[in-house]
């Protein structure tokens, strides 16, 4: 009899603990849902607004690409409640899967806080030369682009950002941004039109 009584008390204790656990999970879920609905966190938006390409020459004798390209970007924070700290942004430029340049867009020297509902400019300068082992297919693609006057360039940016809500600041987030660009060659004295290109942002 005593044994039976003890077991049922034990069961009822577990029953209570179980109910508390379920209630806690529901509560946490509810708090999270309310937070989400009130804050409506959204990613920043990123696009390339200008591209100025003045040199893109590949020499097969020494396998060297000589390049000169300036890109202007805008980053937009669409959030109503969150501001964004841009702590670090590194841009990598690729042609036909071959990385030819990188540039530190944002470092500790020019990192900044972007307030809600605002847009900020950034820019990258890729200039120099790089030894690249392009195969014959890639070289003929480059010659094609050269005769078209428009180069298919892929730019990937590695971000390090933090979100701020009121006085609380999130930990580091490292989204990646991908931009597939069609960059017209800028002949001196002629006006070349680059179409503003949206990039995709991946968290
Ligand atoms: C590669 O060769 C081209 C033409 O032959 C030359 O203009 C260029 O300076 C060379 N690049 C390097 C890095 O030596
Ligand atoms: C790109 O941005 C730089 C610096 O913000 C600015 O001086 C330059 O005029 C811009 N270039 C174009 C083509 O808009």
């Amino acid at each position: 009899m005593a044994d039976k009584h003890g077991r049922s008390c034990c069961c009822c204790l577990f029953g209570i603990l179980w109910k508390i656990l379920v209630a806690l999970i529901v509560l946490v879920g509810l708090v999270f849902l309310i937070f989400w609905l009130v804050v409506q966190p959204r990613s920043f938006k990123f696009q390339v607004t200008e591209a100025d390409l003045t040199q893109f020459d590949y020499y097969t004798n020494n396998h060297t690409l000589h390049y000169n390209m300036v890109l202007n970007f805008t980053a937009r924070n669409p959030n109503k409640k969150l501001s964004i700290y841009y702590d670090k942004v590194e841009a990598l430029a690729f042609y036909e899967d071959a990385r030819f340049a990188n540039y530190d867009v944002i470092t500790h020297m020019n990192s900044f806080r972007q307030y809600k509902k605002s847009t900020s400019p950034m820019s990258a300068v890729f200039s120099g030369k790089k030894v690249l082992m392009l195969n014959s297919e890639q070289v003929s693609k480059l010659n094609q682009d050269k005769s078209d006057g428009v180069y298919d360039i892929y730019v990937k940016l590695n971000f390090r950002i933090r979100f701020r809500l009121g006085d609380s600041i999130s930990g580091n987030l490292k989204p990646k941004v991908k931009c597939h660009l069609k960059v017209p060659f800028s002949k001196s004295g002629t006006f070349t039109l680059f179409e503003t290109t949206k990039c995709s942002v991946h968290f």
Side-chain angles (χ1 to χ4, degrees), residues 111-194:
S111 59
F112 66 98
R113 175 180 177 181
Q114 183 179 46
Y115 290 87
K116 55 193 180 182
K117 293 260 169 216
S118 65
T119 304
S120 315
M122 294 184 193
S123 61
V125 180
F126 303 98
S127 172
K129 49 184 188 261
K130 169 95 175 162
V131 174
L132 289 180
M133 291 301 157
L134 297 185
N135 61 33
S136 57
E137 220 174 291
Q138 293 168 316
V139 171
S140 67
K141 168 76 168 104
L142 204 148
N143 288 332
Q144 184 60 47
D145 283 4
K146 186 174 217 135
S147 70
D148 294 346
V150 180
Y151 293 82
D152 279 315
I153 291 172
Y154 169 61
V155 175
K156 185 178 157 195
L157 300 105
N158 297 320
F159 278 69
R160 203 177 75 207
I161 63 168
R162 288 168 297 156
F163 284 101
R164 176 169 177 155
L165 174 67
D167 287 334
S168 46
I169 302 174
S170 77
N172 288 328
L173 293 164
K174 293 182 172 172
K176 300 204 182 313
V177 170
K178 296 173 178 178
C179 313
H180 293 276
L181 307 175
K182 293 216 174 284
V183 184
F185 191 77
S186 313
K187 295 172 202 76
S188 59
T190 58
F191 180 69
T192 50
L193 195 64
F194 172 78

Coordinates of all heavy atoms in Angstrom, one line a residue, residues 111-194:
S111 N 34.4 51.7 -40.2 CA 33.2 51.0 -39.8 C 32.2 52.0 -39.3 O 32.6 53.1 -38.8 CB 33.5 50.0 -38.7 OG 34.1 50.6 -37.6
F112 N 30.9 51.7 -39.4 CA 29.9 52.7 -39.0 C 28.6 52.1 -38.6 O 28.4 50.9 -38.8 CB 29.7 53.7 -40.2 CG 29.0 53.0 -41.4 CD1 27.7 53.1 -41.6 CD2 29.8 52.3 -42.3 CE1 27.1 52.6 -42.7 CE2 29.2 51.8 -43.4 CZ 27.8 51.9 -43.6
R113 N 27.8 52.9 -38.0 CA 26.5 52.5 -37.6 C 25.5 53.0 -38.5 O 25.5 54.2 -38.8 CB 26.2 53.0 -36.1 CG 24.7 52.6 -35.7 CD 24.5 53.2 -34.3 NE 23.1 52.9 -33.9 CZ 22.7 53.3 -32.7 NH1 23.4 54.0 -31.8 NH2 21.4 53.1 -32.4
Q114 N 24.6 52.2 -39.0 CA 23.6 52.6 -40.0 C 22.2 52.6 -39.2 O 21.8 51.6 -38.8 CB 23.5 51.7 -41.2 CG 22.5 52.1 -42.2 CD 22.5 51.2 -43.4 OE1 22.5 50.0 -43.2 NE2 22.6 51.7 -44.6
Y115 N 21.6 53.8 -39.2 CA 20.4 53.9 -38.5 C 19.2 53.3 -39.3 O 19.4 53.0 -40.5 CB 20.1 55.4 -38.1 CG 21.1 55.8 -37.0 CD1 22.3 56.3 -37.4 CD2 20.8 55.6 -35.7 CE1 23.2 56.7 -36.4 CE2 21.7 56.0 -34.7 CZ 22.9 56.5 -35.1 OH 23.8 56.8 -34.1
K116 N 18.1 53.1 -38.6 CA 16.9 52.5 -39.3 C 16.5 53.3 -40.5 O 16.7 54.5 -40.5 CB 15.8 52.4 -38.3 CG 15.4 53.7 -37.6 CD 14.5 53.5 -36.4 CE 14.2 54.9 -35.8 NZ 13.3 54.8 -34.6
K117 N 15.9 52.6 -41.5 CA 15.4 53.2 -42.7 C 16.4 54.2 -43.3 O 16.0 55.3 -43.6 CB 14.1 54.0 -42.4 CG 13.0 53.1 -41.9 CD 12.0 52.9 -43.1 CE 11.0 51.8 -42.8 NZ 10.7 51.0 -44.0
S118 N 17.6 53.7 -43.5 CA 18.6 54.6 -44.2 C 19.5 53.9 -45.2 O 19.5 52.6 -45.1 CB 19.4 55.4 -43.2 OG 20.2 54.5 -42.5
T119 N 20.1 54.6 -46.0 CA 20.9 54.0 -47.1 C 22.3 54.6 -47.0 O 22.5 55.8 -46.8 CB 20.3 54.3 -48.5 OG1 19.0 53.9 -48.5 CG2 21.1 53.7 -49.6
S120 N 23.4 53.8 -47.1 CA 24.7 54.2 -47.0 C 25.5 53.8 -48.3 O 25.3 52.7 -48.7 CB 25.4 53.7 -45.8 OG 24.6 53.8 -44.7
P121 N 26.4 54.6 -48.7 CA 27.3 54.2 -49.9 C 28.5 53.5 -49.4 O 29.0 53.7 -48.3 CB 27.7 55.6 -50.5 CG 27.7 56.5 -49.3 CD 26.7 56.0 -48.3
M122 N 29.0 52.6 -50.2 CA 30.3 52.0 -50.0 C 31.0 51.9 -51.4 O 30.3 51.9 -52.4 CB 30.2 50.5 -49.5 CG 29.5 50.4 -48.1 SD 29.5 48.7 -47.6 CE 28.3 48.9 -46.2
S123 N 32.3 51.7 -51.4 CA 32.9 51.5 -52.7 C 34.2 50.6 -52.6 O 34.8 50.5 -51.5 CB 33.2 52.9 -53.4 OG 34.1 53.6 -52.6
A124 N 34.5 50.0 -53.7 CA 35.6 49.1 -53.8 C 36.5 49.5 -55.0 O 35.9 49.8 -56.1 CB 35.1 47.7 -53.9
V125 N 37.8 49.4 -54.8 CA 38.7 49.7 -55.9 C 39.5 48.5 -56.2 O 40.3 48.0 -55.3 CB 39.6 50.9 -55.6 CG1 40.6 51.2 -56.7 CG2 38.8 52.1 -55.2
F126 N 39.4 47.9 -57.3 CA 40.2 46.7 -57.7 C 41.2 47.2 -58.8 O 40.8 47.6 -59.9 CB 39.3 45.6 -58.3 CG 38.2 45.2 -57.4 CD1 36.9 45.6 -57.5 CD2 38.5 44.3 -56.3 CE1 35.9 45.2 -56.7 CE2 37.5 43.8 -55.5 CZ 36.2 44.3 -55.7
S127 N 42.4 47.2 -58.4 CA 43.4 47.7 -59.4 C 44.7 47.0 -59.2 O 45.2 46.9 -58.1 CB 43.6 49.2 -59.1 OG 44.6 49.7 -59.9
G128 N 45.3 46.5 -60.3 CA 46.6 45.9 -60.2 C 46.7 44.8 -61.2 O 46.1 44.8 -62.3
K129 N 47.6 43.8 -60.9 CA 47.7 42.7 -61.8 C 47.8 41.4 -61.0 O 48.2 41.4 -59.9 CB 49.0 42.9 -62.7 CG 50.2 43.2 -61.9 CD 51.4 43.5 -62.9 CE 52.7 43.7 -62.1 NZ 53.1 45.1 -62.0
K130 N 47.4 40.3 -61.7 CA 47.4 39.0 -61.0 C 47.7 37.9 -62.0 O 47.1 37.9 -63.1 CB 45.9 38.8 -60.5 CG 45.6 37.5 -60.0 CD 45.8 37.4 -58.5 CE 45.4 36.0 -58.0 NZ 45.9 35.7 -56.7
V131 N 48.5 37.0 -61.6 CA 48.8 35.8 -62.5 C 47.7 34.8 -62.3 O 47.3 34.4 -61.2 CB 50.2 35.2 -62.0 CG1 50.4 33.9 -62.8 CG2 51.3 36.1 -62.2
L132 N 47.1 34.5 -63.4 CA 45.9 33.6 -63.5 C 46.1 32.5 -64.5 O 46.5 32.9 -65.6 CB 44.6 34.3 -63.8 CG 44.0 35.3 -62.9 CD1 42.7 35.9 -63.5 CD2 43.6 34.6 -61.5
M133 N 45.9 31.3 -64.2 CA 46.0 30.2 -65.2 C 44.7 30.0 -65.8 O 44.0 29.0 -65.4 CB 46.6 28.9 -64.5 CG 48.0 29.1 -64.1 SD 49.1 29.5 -65.5 CE 50.5 30.2 -64.6
L134 N 44.3 30.8 -66.8 CA 43.0 30.6 -67.4 C 43.2 29.6 -68.5 O 44.2 29.6 -69.3 CB 42.5 31.9 -68.1 CG 42.2 33.1 -67.1 CD1 41.7 34.3 -67.9 CD2 41.3 32.7 -66.0
N135 N 42.2 28.7 -68.7 CA 42.3 27.7 -69.7 C 41.8 28.3 -71.1 O 41.3 29.4 -71.1 CB 41.6 26.4 -69.4 CG 40.1 26.6 -69.1 OD1 39.5 27.5 -69.7 ND2 39.5 25.9 -68.2
S136 N 41.9 27.5 -72.1 CA 41.6 28.1 -73.5 C 40.1 28.5 -73.5 O 39.8 29.5 -74.2 CB 41.9 27.1 -74.6 OG 41.2 25.9 -74.3
E137 N 39.2 27.8 -72.8 CA 37.8 28.1 -72.8 C 37.6 29.5 -72.2 O 36.9 30.3 -72.7 CB 37.1 27.1 -72.0 CG 35.7 26.6 -72.6 CD 35.2 25.5 -71.8 OE1 35.7 24.4 -71.8 OE2 34.2 25.7 -71.1
Q138 N 38.3 29.7 -71.0 CA 38.1 30.9 -70.3 C 38.7 32.1 -71.1 O 38.2 33.2 -71.1 CB 38.8 30.8 -68.9 CG 38.1 29.8 -68.0 CD 39.0 29.5 -66.8 OE1 40.2 29.2 -66.8 NE2 38.3 29.5 -65.6
V139 N 39.8 31.8 -71.8 CA 40.5 32.9 -72.6 C 39.5 33.3 -73.8 O 39.4 34.5 -74.1 CB 41.8 32.4 -73.1 CG1 42.4 33.4 -74.1 CG2 42.8 32.3 -72.0
S140 N 38.9 32.3 -74.4 CA 38.0 32.6 -75.5 C 36.8 33.4 -75.0 O 36.2 34.3 -75.7 CB 37.6 31.4 -76.3 OG 36.8 30.5 -75.6
K141 N 36.3 33.0 -73.8 CA 35.2 33.8 -73.1 C 35.6 35.2 -72.9 O 34.9 36.2 -73.2 CB 34.8 33.1 -71.8 CG 33.9 33.9 -70.9 CD 32.4 33.9 -71.4 CE 31.5 34.5 -70.3 NZ 31.0 35.9 -70.6
L142 N 36.8 35.4 -72.5 CA 37.3 36.8 -72.2 C 37.5 37.6 -73.5 O 37.1 38.7 -73.5 CB 38.7 36.7 -71.5 CG 39.1 37.9 -70.7 CD1 39.9 37.5 -69.5 CD2 39.9 38.9 -71.5
N143 N 37.9 36.9 -74.6 CA 38.0 37.6 -75.9 C 36.6 37.9 -76.4 O 36.4 39.0 -77.0 CB 38.7 36.7 -76.9 CG 40.2 36.6 -76.6 OD1 40.8 37.6 -76.0 ND2 40.8 35.5 -76.9
Q144 N 35.6 37.1 -76.1 CA 34.2 37.3 -76.5 C 33.7 38.6 -75.7 O 33.2 39.5 -76.3 CB 33.4 36.1 -76.2 CG 31.9 36.3 -76.6 CD 31.8 36.5 -78.1 OE1 32.4 35.8 -78.9 NE2 31.0 37.5 -78.5
D145 N 34.0 38.6 -74.4 CA 33.5 39.7 -73.6 C 34.2 41.0 -74.1 O 33.6 42.1 -74.1 CB 33.9 39.5 -72.1 CG 32.9 38.5 -71.4 OD1 32.0 38.0 -72.1 OD2 33.1 38.3 -70.2
K146 N 35.5 40.9 -74.4 CA 36.2 42.1 -74.9 C 35.6 42.6 -76.2 O 35.4 43.8 -76.3 CB 37.7 41.7 -75.2 CG 38.5 42.8 -75.5 CD 40.0 42.4 -75.6 CE 40.9 43.5 -75.0 NZ 41.9 43.0 -74.2
S147 N 35.2 41.7 -77.1 CA 34.6 42.2 -78.4 C 33.2 42.8 -78.1 O 32.8 43.7 -78.8 CB 34.7 41.2 -79.5 OG 33.8 40.1 -79.2
D148 N 32.5 42.2 -77.1 CA 31.1 42.7 -76.8 C 31.2 44.0 -76.0 O 30.3 44.8 -75.9 CB 30.4 41.7 -75.9 CG 30.0 40.4 -76.6 OD1 30.2 40.4 -77.9 OD2 29.7 39.4 -76.0
G149 N 32.4 44.2 -75.3 CA 32.5 45.4 -74.5 C 31.9 45.3 -73.2 O 31.7 46.3 -72.5
V150 N 31.4 44.1 -72.8 CA 30.8 43.9 -71.5 C 31.4 42.6 -70.8 O 31.4 41.6 -71.5 CB 29.3 43.7 -71.6 CG1 28.6 43.5 -70.3 CG2 28.6 44.9 -72.3
Y151 N 31.8 42.8 -69.6 CA 32.5 41.6 -68.9 C 31.5 41.1 -67.8 O 30.9 41.8 -67.1 CB 33.8 42.1 -68.3 CG 34.8 42.5 -69.3 CD1 34.8 43.7 -69.9 CD2 35.8 41.5 -69.7 CE1 35.8 44.1 -70.8 CE2 36.8 41.9 -70.6 CZ 36.8 43.1 -71.2 OH 37.7 43.5 -72.1
D152 N 31.5 39.7 -67.8 CA 30.7 39.1 -66.7 C 31.6 38.9 -65.5 O 32.5 38.1 -65.5 CB 30.3 37.6 -67.2 CG 29.1 37.7 -68.0 OD1 28.1 38.3 -67.7 OD2 29.1 37.0 -69.1
I153 N 31.4 39.8 -64.5 CA 32.2 39.7 -63.3 C 31.4 39.4 -62.1 O 30.2 39.9 -62.0 CB 33.0 41.1 -63.2 CG1 34.0 41.2 -64.3 CG2 33.7 41.2 -61.8 CD1 34.7 42.5 -64.4
Y154 N 31.9 38.5 -61.3 CA 31.2 38.1 -60.1 C 31.9 38.7 -58.9 O 33.1 38.5 -58.7 CB 31.1 36.6 -60.1 CG 30.7 36.0 -58.8 CD1 29.4 36.2 -58.3 CD2 31.5 35.1 -58.0 CE1 29.0 35.6 -57.1 CE2 31.1 34.5 -56.9 CZ 29.8 34.8 -56.4 OH 29.4 34.2 -55.2
V155 N 31.1 39.3 -58.0 CA 31.7 39.9 -56.8 C 31.0 39.3 -55.6 O 29.8 39.3 -55.5 CB 31.6 41.4 -56.8 CG1 32.1 42.0 -55.5 CG2 32.4 42.0 -57.9
K156 N 31.9 38.8 -54.7 CA 31.3 38.2 -53.4 C 31.8 39.1 -52.3 O 33.0 39.5 -52.3 CB 31.8 36.8 -53.3 CG 31.3 36.0 -52.2 CD 31.8 34.6 -52.2 CE 31.8 34.0 -50.8 NZ 32.6 32.8 -50.7
L157 N 30.9 39.4 -51.4 CA 31.4 40.2 -50.2 C 31.1 39.5 -48.9 O 30.0 38.9 -48.7 CB 30.6 41.6 -50.2 CG 30.9 42.5 -51.4 CD1 29.6 42.4 -52.3 CD2 31.2 43.9 -51.0
N158 N 32.1 39.5 -48.1 CA 32.0 38.9 -46.7 C 31.8 40.0 -45.7 O 32.6 40.8 -45.6 CB 33.3 38.1 -46.4 CG 33.5 36.9 -47.4 OD1 32.5 36.2 -47.7 ND2 34.7 36.7 -47.8
F159 N 30.7 39.9 -45.1 CA 30.3 40.9 -44.1 C 30.5 40.5 -42.7 O 30.4 39.3 -42.4 CB 28.8 41.3 -44.2 CG 28.5 42.3 -45.3 CD1 28.6 41.9 -46.6 CD2 28.1 43.6 -45.0 CE1 28.3 42.8 -47.7 CE2 27.8 44.5 -46.0 CZ 27.9 44.1 -47.4
R160 N 30.8 41.4 -41.8 CA 30.7 41.2 -40.3 C 29.9 42.3 -39.8 O 30.3 43.5 -39.8 CB 32.1 41.0 -39.7 CG 31.9 40.3 -38.3 CD 33.3 40.1 -37.7 NE 33.7 41.4 -37.1 CZ 34.9 41.7 -36.9 NH1 35.9 41.0 -37.2 NH2 35.2 42.9 -36.3
I161 N 28.7 42.0 -39.3 CA 27.8 43.0 -38.9 C 27.2 42.7 -37.5 O 27.3 41.5 -37.0 CB 26.6 43.3 -39.9 CG1 25.7 42.0 -40.0 CG2 27.1 43.7 -41.2 CD1 24.4 42.2 -40.7
R162 N 26.6 43.7 -36.8 CA 25.8 43.5 -35.6 C 24.5 44.3 -35.7 O 24.5 45.3 -36.4 CB 26.6 43.9 -34.4 CG 27.7 43.0 -34.0 CD 28.6 43.7 -33.0 NE 29.2 44.9 -33.5 CZ 29.7 45.9 -32.7 NH1 29.6 45.8 -31.4 NH2 30.2 46.9 -33.3
F163 N 23.4 43.8 -35.1 CA 22.2 44.5 -35.1 C 22.1 45.2 -33.7 O 22.6 44.6 -32.7 CB 21.0 43.6 -35.3 CG 20.8 43.2 -36.7 CD1 21.2 41.9 -37.2 CD2 20.2 44.0 -37.7 CE1 21.1 41.5 -38.5 CE2 20.1 43.7 -39.0 CZ 20.5 42.4 -39.4
R164 N 21.4 46.3 -33.7 CA 21.2 47.0 -32.4 C 19.7 47.3 -32.3 O 19.1 47.9 -33.1 CB 22.0 48.3 -32.3 CG 21.8 49.0 -31.1 CD 22.8 50.1 -30.9 NE 22.4 50.9 -29.7 CZ 23.3 51.6 -29.0 NH1 24.6 51.6 -29.4 NH2 23.0 52.3 -28.0
L165 N 19.2 46.9 -31.1 CA 17.8 47.2 -30.8 C 17.8 48.0 -29.5 O 18.2 47.4 -28.4 CB 17.0 45.9 -30.7 CG 15.5 46.1 -30.2 CD1 14.7 46.8 -31.2 CD2 14.9 44.7 -29.9
G166 N 17.4 49.2 -29.5 CA 17.5 50.0 -28.3 C 19.0 50.1 -27.8 O 19.9 50.5 -28.5
D167 N 19.2 49.6 -26.6 CA 20.6 49.6 -26.1 C 21.3 48.2 -26.2 O 22.4 48.0 -25.8 CB 20.6 50.0 -24.6 CG 20.4 51.5 -24.5 OD1 20.7 52.2 -25.4 OD2 19.9 51.9 -23.4
S168 N 20.5 47.2 -26.7 CA 21.1 45.9 -26.8 C 21.7 45.6 -28.2 O 21.0 46.0 -29.2 CB 20.2 44.8 -26.3 OG 18.9 45.0 -26.9
I169 N 22.8 45.0 -28.2 CA 23.5 44.8 -29.4 C 23.7 43.3 -29.6 O 24.1 42.6 -28.7 CB 24.9 45.5 -29.4 CG1 24.7 47.0 -29.2 CG2 25.7 45.3 -30.7 CD1 25.9 47.8 -29.0
S170 N 23.5 42.8 -30.8 CA 23.6 41.4 -31.1 C 25.1 41.0 -31.2 O 25.9 41.8 -31.2 CB 22.9 41.0 -32.4 OG 23.7 41.4 -33.5
G171 N 25.3 39.7 -31.2 CA 26.7 39.2 -31.5 C 27.0 39.4 -32.9 O 26.2 39.9 -33.7
N172 N 28.2 39.0 -33.3 CA 28.6 39.1 -34.7 C 27.8 38.2 -35.7 O 27.6 37.0 -35.3 CB 30.1 38.7 -34.9 CG 31.0 39.8 -34.3 OD1 30.7 41.0 -34.3 ND2 32.1 39.4 -33.8
L173 N 27.4 38.7 -36.8 CA 26.8 37.9 -37.8 C 27.6 38.0 -39.1 O 28.3 39.1 -39.3 CB 25.4 38.4 -38.1 CG 24.4 38.2 -37.0 CD1 23.1 39.1 -37.2 CD2 24.0 36.8 -36.9
K174 N 27.7 37.0 -39.8 CA 28.6 37.0 -41.0 C 27.9 36.6 -42.3 O 28.1 35.6 -42.9 CB 29.7 36.0 -40.8 CG 30.6 36.5 -39.6 CD 31.8 35.5 -39.4 CE 32.8 36.2 -38.4 NZ 33.8 35.2 -38.0
P175 N 27.0 37.5 -42.7 CA 26.3 37.3 -44.0 C 27.2 37.4 -45.2 O 28.2 38.1 -45.1 CB 25.2 38.4 -44.1 CG 25.7 39.4 -43.2 CD 26.6 38.8 -42.1
K176 N 26.9 36.7 -46.3 CA 27.6 36.8 -47.5 C 26.7 37.4 -48.6 O 25.5 37.1 -48.6 CB 28.1 35.4 -48.0 CG 28.9 34.7 -46.9 CD 29.8 33.7 -47.6 CE 30.7 33.0 -46.5 NZ 31.3 33.9 -45.6
V177 N 27.3 38.2 -49.4 CA 26.5 38.9 -50.5 C 27.1 38.5 -51.8 O 28.4 38.5 -52.0 CB 26.6 40.4 -50.2 CG1 26.0 41.2 -51.4 CG2 25.9 40.8 -49.0
K178 N 26.3 38.2 -52.7 CA 26.7 37.8 -54.1 C 26.2 38.7 -55.1 O 25.0 38.9 -55.2 CB 26.3 36.3 -54.3 CG 26.9 35.3 -53.3 CD 26.3 34.0 -53.5 CE 27.0 33.0 -52.5 NZ 26.5 31.7 -52.5
C179 N 27.0 39.2 -56.0 CA 26.6 40.1 -57.1 C 27.1 39.5 -58.4 O 28.4 39.4 -58.6 CB 27.2 41.5 -56.9 SG 27.1 42.1 -55.2
H180 N 26.2 39.3 -59.3 CA 26.6 38.9 -60.7 C 26.4 40.1 -61.6 O 25.3 40.6 -61.8 CB 25.7 37.7 -61.2 CG 25.9 36.5 -60.4 ND1 26.9 35.6 -60.7 CD2 25.3 36.0 -59.3 CE1 26.8 34.5 -59.9 NE2 25.9 34.8 -59.0
L181 N 27.6 40.6 -62.1 CA 27.6 41.9 -62.8 C 27.9 41.7 -64.2 O 28.7 40.9 -64.6 CB 28.6 42.8 -62.1 CG 28.5 43.0 -60.6 CD1 29.7 43.8 -60.1 CD2 27.2 43.6 -60.2
K182 N 27.3 42.6 -65.0 CA 27.6 42.8 -66.4 C 28.3 44.2 -66.5 O 27.5 45.2 -66.4 CB 26.4 42.7 -67.3 CG 25.8 41.3 -67.3 CD 25.3 41.0 -68.7 CE 24.8 39.5 -68.8 NZ 25.9 38.6 -68.9
V183 N 29.6 44.2 -66.5 CA 30.3 45.5 -66.4 C 30.7 46.0 -67.8 O 31.6 45.3 -68.4 CB 31.5 45.4 -65.5 CG1 32.2 46.7 -65.3 CG2 31.1 44.8 -64.1
P184 N 30.2 47.1 -68.3 CA 30.7 47.6 -69.6 C 32.0 48.2 -69.4 O 32.4 48.8 -68.4 CB 29.6 48.7 -69.9 CG 29.0 49.1 -68.6 CD 29.2 47.9 -67.7
F185 N 32.8 48.0 -70.5 CA 34.2 48.6 -70.5 C 34.0 50.1 -70.7 O 33.3 50.6 -71.6 CB 35.0 48.0 -71.6 CG 36.4 48.3 -71.5 CD1 37.3 47.7 -70.6 CD2 37.0 49.3 -72.4 CE1 38.6 48.1 -70.5 CE2 38.3 49.6 -72.3 CZ 39.1 49.0 -71.3
S186 N 34.7 50.9 -69.9 CA 34.5 52.4 -70.0 C 35.6 52.9 -70.9 O 36.8 53.0 -70.5 CB 34.7 53.0 -68.6 OG 33.9 52.4 -67.7
K187 N 35.3 53.2 -72.1 CA 36.2 53.8 -73.1 C 36.3 55.2 -72.7 O 35.3 55.9 -72.4 CB 35.8 53.6 -74.5 CG 35.7 52.2 -74.9 CD 35.1 52.0 -76.3 CE 34.5 50.7 -76.5 NZ 33.3 50.4 -75.8
S188 N 37.6 55.8 -72.8 CA 37.7 57.2 -72.3 C 36.9 58.1 -73.2 O 36.9 58.0 -74.4 CB 39.2 57.5 -72.4 OG 39.7 57.4 -73.7
G189 N 36.2 59.0 -72.6 CA 35.4 60.0 -73.3 C 34.1 59.5 -73.7 O 33.2 60.3 -74.1
T190 N 33.8 58.2 -73.6 CA 32.4 57.8 -74.0 C 31.6 57.5 -72.7 O 32.2 57.0 -71.7 CB 32.4 56.6 -74.9 OG1 33.1 55.5 -74.2 CG2 33.0 56.8 -76.2
F191 N 30.4 57.7 -72.7 CA 29.5 57.5 -71.6 C 29.0 56.0 -71.6 O 28.3 55.6 -72.6 CB 28.3 58.5 -71.7 CG 27.4 58.4 -70.5 CD1 27.7 58.7 -69.3 CD2 26.1 57.9 -70.8 CE1 26.8 58.6 -68.2 CE2 25.2 57.8 -69.7 CZ 25.6 58.2 -68.5
T192 N 29.4 55.3 -70.6 CA 28.9 53.9 -70.6 C 27.9 53.7 -69.5 O 28.1 54.3 -68.4 CB 30.0 52.9 -70.4 OG1 30.8 53.3 -69.3 CG2 30.8 52.8 -71.7
L193 N 26.8 53.0 -69.8 CA 25.7 52.9 -68.8 C 25.8 51.6 -68.1 O 25.7 50.5 -68.7 CB 24.4 53.1 -69.5 CG 23.2 53.3 -68.6 CD1 23.3 54.6 -67.9 CD2 21.9 53.3 -69.4
F194 N 26.0 51.6 -66.8 CA 25.9 50.4 -66.0 C 24.6 50.3 -65.4 O 24.1 51.3 -64.8 CB 27.0 50.4 -65.0 CG 26.9 49.3 -64.0 CD1 27.3 48.0 -64.3 CD2 26.4 49.5 -62.7 CE1 27.2 47.0 -63.4 CE2 26.3 48.5 -61.8 CZ 26.7 47.2 -62.1

